[in-house]
Amino acid sequence: MAKLTPKTNSSRAPINFSLQENKIRILLIIISVATIAMLVLILSNSYEQNGFFGFTLDDPWIHLQFAKNLYEYGSFSYYKCELATAGSTAPLYTIILSIGFFFTKNEFLLSYFFGIIFSVASFITFFFLLRKEFDNSILIAIVGSLMLLLEPRLVWISLSGMETTLAIFLLILTIYFYKINRGVPLGICAGLFLWTRPESLILIIAISLDILYKKFWIKTDKIKKGKNIPESYKWLQKSALIFGAISVVYFAFNFYLSGTIFPNTFTAKVKYYSGGGQNYFQQLIEFLTAKHLVPFAIFTGIGLFKILFSIGMRQRDKFIVYLLWCAGLSVAFAIYLPFLYQNGRYLMPVLPFIIVIGLQGVVVTINFLYNRVPLFKNKKMLFISISALFLIFLARLGISTAEVFRQYPLDCKYINDRQVTTAKWLKNNLEQDAVVAAHDVGAIAYYSDRKIVDMVGLISTEMIQNIGSFDGLKKFLDSKKATHLAVLRNWFHLANQTPIYQTDDRFPEVMGVFKYDPRNAMFVPQNVVRMNEEAEYLLNSGRPEQAGYLLDQSIRMFPNLDWSYYLLGRTFLSINNLAKARESFQNVLNLNPNYNLPKQSWDLILSK
């Protein structure tokens, strides 16, 4: 029978219950099986709603394309055995997928399997880490690891075909071995983490700073500064040697394939997104205090304050390394990739350690109440209070996780209706020797069976220097002998050209396929595209005057664009200025005779 076990230290509240080791193992197995069942149920529900399996992002097919070619041709390439490149940010995950191809060719089964397995492995590893950090408290370890499992963003990403759950598993495992002073597995896990995400180097810096803090910063009266840690750090020498060897192979691998020590995706995304993200820190706070984390965020703040207080007082604090990782990763992305799109997937690896810091805040709060409020000296009252608090945390997470059942199918459909359907159209309608340029190169490459030219440098290092230059892009496309473009209109808009195929334009982010002729291709500047999109939104919202103001600016910046005049015609039509509307629609046809004008616009032109 589980019961509270008082601690010998009267200043600390008994936040624990006793449980035999065999029962702990059974409990972990039950939770793991329940987790797998929940994730499979989400997939089943998504298939029932959509009629197909899918991913919530386009990027999983990048890993799958590399893995398939590695399996079929023995080449780390993106098109059959050509285009060898370090275009996978997570080569370890790609290699794991390629091994999976020996057992199944079903890309969804393969990706779902590894996503779920590494999610469960993260839960189990996190349980043992929390148990170690919180003085063998089974209660905190169970609650904390359940919070990790029920975090809706991690549930979402575990079924998205990405390497994130593998990265989180290796992150937790690396810290666990560091905490129990196991040098060899620490070096191996840290090295494998690097092969999964390049930002793992921040974890190495965090661990190094934690060691330096304990060795040189902690202030004591009995032991001289610099010699105040009795335990030896010789065990770390093996870790450093192993990690160093694995790192050298990693850097050599990338350099051999693409001439840089990091994957193409790292360099390309840093350059593509540089100069943006003005609201990054506001988004970061919202990410860490999302509605399902509101109650817990209070204790995260308390835990953070406790760590900062320890640093200021030069006291020992075993939670500093967690803060260093979270702060380091957040600042690194603020500098290099200041965007939290796609559920903040790049910052998801901070979530396990935010949970650790928050749980430390809970412990600090309970100990404070235990020592200062007589009511909390009562073991029954203390147990009820702790249980109620943890149930609130888990209930809020559970409610948000239930929302994944609704959102996941919608996200899969969103990607399928654009990238996947376009890829299958390319396969069925373009010549075998067609060369398709695209900026989303995942599903299009995987399903089209056509040679792909990457317009944003994720798999093509020579494109990286041209990011931000339309002239450079055109020269790059010419050198690659591109015959077609497959682009989202809000990313790359071609002026005065009618697509030979496009997805449903009633919904956001229209994907179009164009024949590419370098003599006629003219890309529209992004600020003009954004103005037109905003004007279109205003028109659909019944605000033609505001739309007209934006379109006037747009046309002044880029005078000869069929799309702008079409929207201007709609604007005049909505305020019943038929003469101006007719003139605008005629300008559309003058610029692009093949523009797909609706019947109402044609009727107006012919009525002249």
Side-chain angles (χ1 to χ4, degrees), residues 15-17 134 137-144 146-147 150 295-296 299 355 358-363 366 382-398:
I15 313 173
N16 203 2
F17 58 80
F134 290 95
S137 173
I138 304 302
L139 179 61
I140 291 180
I142 286 292
V143 170
L146 280 174
M147 289 181 67
L150 292 174
F296 189 71
F299 296 96
I355 292 174
L359 290 172
Q360 166 67 348
V362 171
V363 171
I366 291 174
L382 181 66
F383 180 75
I384 292 173
S385 301
I386 295 171
S387 300
L389 183 62
F390 285 156
L391 283 174
I392 290 172
F393 295 159
L394 295 176
R396 288 299 297 266
L397 283 165

Side-chain angles (χ1 to χ4, degrees), residues 566 570 585 595-605:
Y566 169 67
R570 281 186 55 193
F585 291 139
Y595 197 95
N596 188 23
L597 283 174
K599 183 178 183 300
Q600 185 182 21
S601 303
W602 274 110
D603 290 343
L604 183 61
I605 293 172

Side-chain angles (χ1 to χ4, degrees), residues 353-383:
F353 294 166
I354 289 295
I355 292 174
V356 174
I357 295 171
L359 290 172
Q360 166 67 348
V362 171
V363 171
V364 169
T365 303
I366 291 174
N367 283 332
F368 178 86
L369 295 173
Y370 181 74
N371 287 311
R372 288 167 177 79
V373 180
L375 183 63
F376 283 91
K377 288 288 186 180
N378 183 291
K379 287 190 293 184
K380 184 176 181 180
M381 180 62 191
L382 181 66
F383 180 75

